[in-house]
Amino acid sequence: MITKTVAVFPGDDASPEVMIPTIALLEKLQLPIEFVYPMVGDEALSEHGARFPGASKAQVDEADATFFGSTSGQSTEALFYLRWGKQTYANVRPCQFRPGYRSPMANPENIDFVVVRENLEDLYLGLEGDLTALAGLNLYSKHAKTSLKDMGTGRYAIKVITEVGSERVIRFAFELARKRGGQRKVTLTSKYNMLAKADGYFREIGYAVAKDYPDITFETFIVDDFLCRMISNPCALDVVVTPNLYGDIFSDGAAGLIGGLGLAPSGCYGADYAYFESAHGTAPDIQGQNIINPTATILSASMMLTYLGLNEAGNTLEAAISSLYAAGQCIPVDQGGNAKTSEFFQALNDALGLT
Ligand code: ATP
């Protein structure tokens, strides 16, 4: 009996090479999920006169979640809708080592933390332009001791940290630390010394929220110090919460600690919606070579199954991935093996007892 609907965007460049076989695998697991494929990009433009038409938006709205393949343009409007339209404010990016991953660390065994990246504000609002547009504001830099209007030709980008946006994502991080039941620790990081007003505000809100969670350890580090700690002692981390841009950067760095972008899943959660995608982009440089590592996409699917209440299936998928890497016989190219993408999927199907 079908009880859940998932909207699927296969994505651009190399993305479909991992998205389509992942859906095929989920179909074989005979889960109570119906997959729908909203039309986007050039195809939608020629048929419906828009790159992300109302009918596609309605399919996203009616779905319980979206499974999103990275885009280099065709589904960008859909992605913006999934973020700002659906208010998916918490981007969760787990960083967990599994034996068999090609980590550059000497002792990666206990690396198991999650980056919770604020997903909707900071420098990602698209508020950019020419400096001349700000001339009338008479802004003065007390650091550079100059007026903005005297700085010559240039551009600006606005960083926005709101109370509501920060509070909800920090609370999400504390709830996650409770749910994970690991070190029960939240580490907040921002540039709260140089950007005392904006990033300092994020930290201030962190301390306020922390009062509601006396059972969870709370610590804060300035981003540069944090990055050094993340690299030198990643096992000390449990849940990390940070504004959008830092989270984008740190989560790719975190993926590097365990073996690279091919291993990094991601889920973006709002109050009543979530979408799931690998943390990596469309990997255009390896498109068509049958070597893109599907692990990030499959683990994102596992996160989605858990979100949909299909915890057992999510755990099964994750366990199958762990067992493949532990066995070491079918290791993707980016992890130092020679398994093609299709061979990895075949091995995963076999491990799950699927034909
Ligand atoms: P974006 O800006 O959307 O994050 P990008 O082009 O900066 O995209 P990616 O597409 O993530 O970055 O690719 C960065 C590098 O990592 C590329 O060399 C790519 O081939 C590699 N890469 C990314 N994902 C995978 C994967 N799943 N398997 C193997 N290599 C990957």
Side-chain angles (χ1 to χ4, degrees):
M1 195 180 64
I2 301 291
T3 58
K4 303 284 181 193
T5 305
V6 168
V8 180
F9 295 86
D12 302 328
D13 305 324
S15 291
E17 297 173 37
V18 283
M19 287 293 288
I20 290 168
T22 300
I23 295 292
L25 188 143
L26 295 179
E27 297 263 28
K28 281 192 212 159
L29 286 173
Q30 301 191 324
L31 303 166
I33 301 177
E34 181 192 8
F35 296 98
V36 297
Y37 296 83
M39 200 183 279
V40 280
D42 295 341
E43 195 189 4
L45 188 63
S46 67
E47 270 204 36
H48 298 283
R51 299 181 74 78
F52 184 49
S56 298
K57 204 177 279 184
Q59 280 181 297
V60 167
D61 288 344
E62 283 157 21
D64 296 284
T66 287
F67 192 37
F68 194 85
S70 307
T71 181
S72 54
Q74 292 295 321
S75 42
T76 302
E77 276 186 50
L79 179 63
F80 286 177
Y81 182 66
L82 284 164
R83 276 201 195 176
W84 285 279
K86 307 306 283 180
Q87 287 289 294
T88 48
Y89 62 85
N91 182 193
V92 174
R93 295 186 161 186
C95 173
Q96 183 186 359
F97 176 79
R98 293 179 163 78
Y101 283 1
R102 189 170 65 168
S103 168
M105 305 296 282
N107 300 299
E109 292 75 23
N110 296 320
I111 299 177
D112 182 7
F113 66 95
V114 180
V115 177
V116 179
R117 161 194 175 196
E118 197 290 319
N119 208 30
L120 303 178
E121 47 189 51
D122 192 4
L123 277 160
Y124 284 67
L125 289 169
L127 299 172
E128 297 183 275
D130 281 312
L131 279 185
T132 48
L134 301 183
L137 294 176
N138 286 324
L139 296 171
Y140 181 80
S141 164
K142 60 180 192 314
H143 295 165
K145 299 200 185 328
T146 179
S147 288
L148 199 63
K149 64 177 164 32
D150 296 330
M151 291 188 73
T153 304
R155 308 262 169 96
Y156 69 86
I158 292 182
K159 177 181 173 91
V160 176
I161 301 285
T162 70
E163 182 180 8
V164 168
S166 305
E167 206 258 340
R168 64 187 173 184
V169 76
I170 294 167
R171 197 167 287 284
F172 186 102
F174 275 96
E175 291 292 332
L176 184 60
R178 263 191 190 158
K179 203 166 3 158
R180 277 166 60 82
Q183 297 180 53
R184 301 178 75 80
K185 180 162 79 167
V186 169
T187 305
L188 179 148
T189 179
S190 67
K191 189 76 181 173
Y192 49 79
N193 52 347
M194 276 303 277
L195 300 171
K197 288 259 160 52
D199 281 9
Y201 192 42
F202 191 79
R203 183 187 187 220
E204 224 175 87
I205 294 167
Y207 276 112
V209 173
K211 290 199 179 114
D212 294 338
Y213 297 86
D215 53 316
I216 304 292
T217 304
F218 182 58
E219 61 186 12
T220 69
F221 298 111
I222 297 166
V223 283
D224 29 358
D225 178 25
F226 168 79
L227 187 54
C228 179
R229 289 169 187 267
M230 185 184 92
I231 292 169
S232 54
N233 191 14
C235 300
L237 298 173
D238 181 11
V239 176
V240 176
V241 66
T242 182
N244 205 335
L245 178 62
Y246 310 130
D248 195 1
I249 297 166
F250 292 158
S251 54
D252 271 31
L257 293 176
I258 55 168
L261 287 173
L263 308 169
S266 157
C268 298
Y269 300 78
D272 53 11
Y273 203 84
Y275 73 94
F276 299 84
E277 60 172 345
S278 63
H280 63 72
T282 61
D285 52 329
I286 53 171
Q287 179 187 1
Q289 295 178 38
N290 196 19
I291 57 168
I292 181 169
N293 186 340
T295 306
T297 299
I298 296 161
L299 291 176
S300 303
S302 162
M303 289 171 74
M304 179 175 75
L305 295 180
T306 303
Y307 172 75
L308 293 172
L310 302 167
N311 302 43
E312 203 183 317
N315 292 341
T316 302
L317 210 51
E318 211 179 314
I321 288 283
S322 296
S323 72
L324 276 193
Y325 277 98
Q329 275 147 17
C330 190
I331 302 295
V333 174
D334 68 328
Q335 298 305 303
N338 52 19
K340 298 282 189 192
T341 308
S342 51
E343 290 167 343
F344 189 87
F345 274 110
Q346 186 56 55
L348 189 61
N349 273 276
D350 293 346
L352 290 165
L354 305 169
T355 49

